Amino acid sequence: MFGMEQLMEFMKEEFGLVLKRNEVGEETLILYHEEIEKELISEELLKIVPNPVSFHTYIYNEKSEWIIGIALEAASNNSLFLVCLKDGEKIYEEVLFGEKDNEK
């Protein structure tokens, strides 16, 4: 699963932000595909994830509001994809599920 340490490393490498653990909020939701805003998650990603899908979200507010969502397979907690929103706009999307397959 994509955890807090990975989040902190990702945000530093990708966006140059150094996060403090105590400034990051977390929440997990179960969403059905029809509940997911189509502008935020591409149709390609929706085709590869189960319905419903578990989303673990990280929220960070500094000068901007950042929401980082990790889609998880509910049965295994394997990370499927990551999406980043900055002030409500999608600025990053990445498929993660292939990482574990490549390690075998």
Side-chain angles (χ1 to χ4, degrees):
M1 183 173 135
F2 192 97
M4 183 65 75
E5 294 300 321
Q6 287 173 294
L7 171 73
M8 293 172 75
E9 184 178 315
F10 168 78
M11 293 299 284
K12 184 176 182 181
E13 289 178 12
E14 191 65 35
F15 302 110
L17 292 174
V18 178
L19 306 183
K20 294 180 183 170
R21 186 180 297 266
N22 63 343
E23 295 177 349
V24 178
E26 296 181 68
E27 181 179 23
T28 300
L29 309 163
I30 302 290
L31 296 174
Y32 288 91
H33 286 193
E34 55 272 6
E35 297 175 302
I36 300 170
E37 294 183 38
K38 304 300 183 218
E39 305 82 44
L40 303 180
I41 308 298
S42 69
E43 284 295 321
E44 292 80 31
L45 286 180
L46 282 179
K47 290 177 186 176
I48 64 172
V49 298
N51 190 18
V53 64
S54 176
F55 268 95
H56 189 79
T57 59
Y58 297 98
I59 296 116
Y60 176 72
N61 285 302
E62 191 179 69
K63 295 176 183 173
S64 298
E65 178 188 54
W66 291 83
I67 299 174
I68 301 91
I70 312 296
L72 303 167
E73 188 174 42
S76 65
N77 254 359
N78 287 335
S79 300
L80 301 171
F81 69 86
L82 175 146
V83 62
C84 291
L85 309 177
K86 180 181 179 185
D87 296 328
E89 182 180 331
K90 181 173 67 172
I91 60 168
Y92 187 89
E93 183 177 271
E94 178 182 353
V95 174
L96 300 173
F97 73 91
E99 292 177 4
K100 192 161 199 154
D101 295 336
N102 293 337
E103 292 174 6
K104 292 180 182 177

